[in-house]
Amino acid sequence: MSKVVIVGGGAAGMFAAIFAARNGHEVHIYEKNEKLGKKLFITGKGRCNITNGCDMEGLFDSVTSNSKFLYSAFYGYNNNDVIDFFESLGLATKIERGDRVFPVSDHSSDVIGVMKRELNRLGVKIHLSEEVKGLKTEDGFVKGVFLKGNQLETGDSVIVATGGLTYPSTGSTGDGFMFAKSVGHTISDLSPSLVPLITKEKFPRDLQGLSLRNVKVSIYHKKCLFEDFGEMMFTHYGLTGPLIISASSYITKEIKEENLSLFIDLKPALSEEKLDQRVLRDFQKNVNKQFKNSISELFPSKLIPIMIKLSGIDPDKKVNEISKEERLGFVKRIKALPLTIVGLKDYKDAIITKGGVTVKEIQPSTMESKKIKGLYFIGEVLDLDALTGGFNLQIAWSTAYAAGSNIM
């Protein structure tokens, strides 16, 4: 029986501990917070989107960084295995829109609770409010971890499950990146991801709280970086909502270099020609009205003054005086409402960290370091990330299982 030291008591850390303990190892979790699963507690707005119920192709398609690396991990422990795991511990699950899997209770505390009970049943030693300060290595082997005051806690294996930089209030302060670097690992560029976007234009502030459904968003920088349909919302700093959060995952590199162009198609179900016919009908209906009073059926009321301003048409102009060129220009503006993305919101507003320990330096079937024997990296500390919908937690579970079940 070997001694396994796990740094971090979040989703990945607890999961790895369970499988290492089930394999007969003596397992110790060191968690710097006063309780386990602090970040897990707030995921999915406190409901905890455990995984996604899609097929394997859907799992891989959802991963936006290094999906090929996850081949062994996902096939070794997939989303159905995760559902079975929680069900076997007495946590009933349900599938909602977008194949998102939640506990029936809608309480993330229940997800944490069943794992804690299993950890206790297996005799895992949990050390709370204990911060790991560094790794102890010797001749290419890991020997343990240093705690506060340089106290050495020896271990035959060490699993680093410290998370990334998101939600720093939960203890994710990038410790794992520092540990990895200290033993010769490369850390790829880090940035917040699955995060709201900041715009140059100030008009989103006037639209704050306005939600748009079934719109298309496209983002460009020399070429199209992202294009999809869905729901978004205006805020005092720019844009947020499911569609925008997903878009952020595809632009982290380019936004560091320069501003990006974003276009909102407010009527994606209509071609430009069909939309022109629709606008023409509205104009004919309001032929003697002023332009500003003729488009109430096209947009939510909050958006009307903005669209009038962006159209370049005099708001007091009579509809019957609007030229064909002006009308067609207005149609183009509806099909491509332009905004300039100048940045991403900070880590405290992000769901995950993009970047991390370079996966080329990690064994894909076990998550063991190729540089240091007995040292493993799992979850968000790795350069792996995915879209929203339970996929990032699936990465945590799959990589944790790979490490926890393969320790000799």
Side-chain angles (χ1 to χ4, degrees):
M1 181 173 77
S2 73
K3 182 180 174 186
V4 181
V5 173
I6 297 177
V7 188
M14 286 191 280
F15 213 67
I18 287 167
F19 287 99
R22 284 182 181 180
N23 279 353
H25 300 292
E26 178 193 333
V27 183
H28 294 254
I29 296 176
Y30 284 86
E31 169 53 58
K32 67 178 175 183
N33 285 312
E34 71 293 347
K35 59 185 175 186
L36 296 174
K38 210 166 178 183
K39 186 175 172 188
L40 195 58
F41 184 72
I42 58 172
T43 60
K45 293 176 181 163
R47 295 174 62 218
C48 194
N49 182 187
I50 300 165
T51 185
N52 195 282
C54 64
D55 58 17
M56 289 305 286
E57 193 184 345
L59 278 187
F60 286 107
D61 286 349
S62 76
V63 179
T64 50
S65 301
N66 301 310
S67 62
K68 284 182 182 150
F69 173 82
L70 284 164
Y71 192 87
S72 292
F74 274 178
Y75 275 102
Y77 203 84
N78 64 30
N79 46 357
N80 292 317
D81 296 321
V82 171
I83 294 165
D84 291 344
F85 169 85
F86 283 108
E87 296 269 358
S88 74
L89 294 182
L91 183 80
T93 62
K94 60 180 176 178
I95 297 183
E96 294 189 1
R97 186 172 56 90
D99 286 331
R100 287 167 160 82
V101 180
F102 290 92
V104 166
S105 67
D106 282 333
H107 293 308
S108 57
S109 54
D110 292 338
V111 178
I112 299 162
V114 294
M115 286 202 282
K116 272 164 67 174
R117 282 194 292 278
E118 184 66 357
L119 290 168
N120 292 331
R121 185 186 74 78
L122 293 163
V124 172
K125 312 282 189 306
I126 297 163
H127 309 267
L128 298 174
S129 303
E130 281 275 20
E131 189 170 351
V132 170
K133 290 295 190 182
L135 303 174
K136 164 76 170 165
T137 60
E138 212 173 89
D139 303 325
F141 286 82
V142 76
K143 295 295 179 183
V145 298
F146 290 109
L147 304 174
K148 269 186 194 158
N150 225 26
Q151 180 196 332
L152 176 64
E153 179 68 34
T154 59
D156 303 296
S157 304
V158 172
I159 300 176
V160 177
T162 49
L165 288 161
T166 53
Y167 299 108
S169 60
T170 66
S172 297
T173 49
D175 301 350
F177 305 134
M178 181 189 73
F179 300 153
K181 222 170 179 176
S182 72
V183 295
H185 275 285
T186 312
I187 307 299
S188 61
D189 282 352
L190 302 170
S191 77
S193 188
L194 298 181
V195 64
L197 303 179
I198 303 165
T199 60
K200 180 182 173 184
E201 293 78 8
K202 299 301 175 205
F203 72 77
R205 188 180 296 161
D206 302 326
L207 299 172
Q208 185 175 345
L210 174 65
S211 227
L212 299 177
R213 290 171 184 269
N214 307 317
V215 294
K216 183 171 88 169
V217 164
S218 312
I219 302 178
Y220 292 87
H221 174 62
K222 295 173 186 168
K223 59 177 184 178
C224 184
L225 302 174
F226 173 86
E227 189 170 88
D228 206 356
F229 300 85
E231 189 178 337
M232 55 153 287
M233 189 168 84
F234 294 99
T235 68
H236 63 284
Y237 52 77
L239 309 171
T240 190
L243 188 55
I244 300 301
I245 298 294
S246 290
S248 71
S249 192
Y250 293 91
I251 64 169
T252 50
K253 198 169 98 201
E254 289 80 4
I255 195 63
K256 284 177 181 173
E257 293 162 15
E258 56 189 290
N259 297 346
L260 309 178
S261 300
L262 179 145
F263 298 95
I264 305 168
D265 183 346
L266 296 166
K267 303 287 178 186
L270 299 175
S271 66
E272 225 169 273
E273 194 185 350
K274 284 265 193 311
L275 180 59
D276 184 41
Q277 289 168 8
R278 161 81 200 270
V279 171
L280 202 51
R281 280 199 305 275
D282 280 13
F283 279 6
Q284 284 164 351
K285 222 184 334 182
N286 301 292
V287 73
N288 294 315
K289 286 186 178 177
Q290 292 172 308
F291 174 54
K292 65 184 178 187
N293 298 321
S294 67
I295 54 173
S296 58
E297 289 177 31
L298 274 173
F299 314 107
S301 56
K302 223 174 182 179
L303 189 55
I304 291 169
I306 303 297
M307 292 308 294
I308 288 170
K309 198 172 176 184
L310 293 174
S311 73
I313 301 170
D314 179 351
D316 296 321
K317 196 172 197 177
K318 287 272 180 66
V319 166
N320 58 17
E321 293 170 0
I322 293 172
S323 69
K324 184 182 177 182
E325 286 70 33
E326 285 176 318
R327 191 187 75 238
L328 291 175
F330 180 49
V331 166
K332 281 190 190 307
R333 188 55 77 241
I334 299 169
K335 292 293 287 177
L337 175 60
L339 284 149
T340 312
I341 305 303
V342 296
L344 307 170
K345 286 288 276 178
D346 200 57
Y347 284 108
K348 65 181 169 50
D349 301 299
I351 294 172
I352 52 154
T353 305
K354 202 173 191 73
V357 178
T358 301
V359 294
K360 282 180 186 160
E361 300 166 359
I362 303 294
Q363 299 284 359
S365 55
T366 64
M367 303 299 137
E368 187 175 18
S369 162
K370 290 179 181 177
K371 293 175 177 282
I372 307 289
K373 288 292 290 174
L375 177 62
Y376 300 78
F377 292 93
I378 60 174
E380 201 181 341
V381 74
L382 290 165
D383 183 8
L384 299 167
D385 63 282
L387 301 175
T388 56
F391 299 110
N392 287 291
L393 264 180
Q394 182 61 48
I395 291 173
W397 310 132
S398 294
T399 56
Y401 176 83
S405 60
N406 278 296
I407 288 170
M408 304 306 288

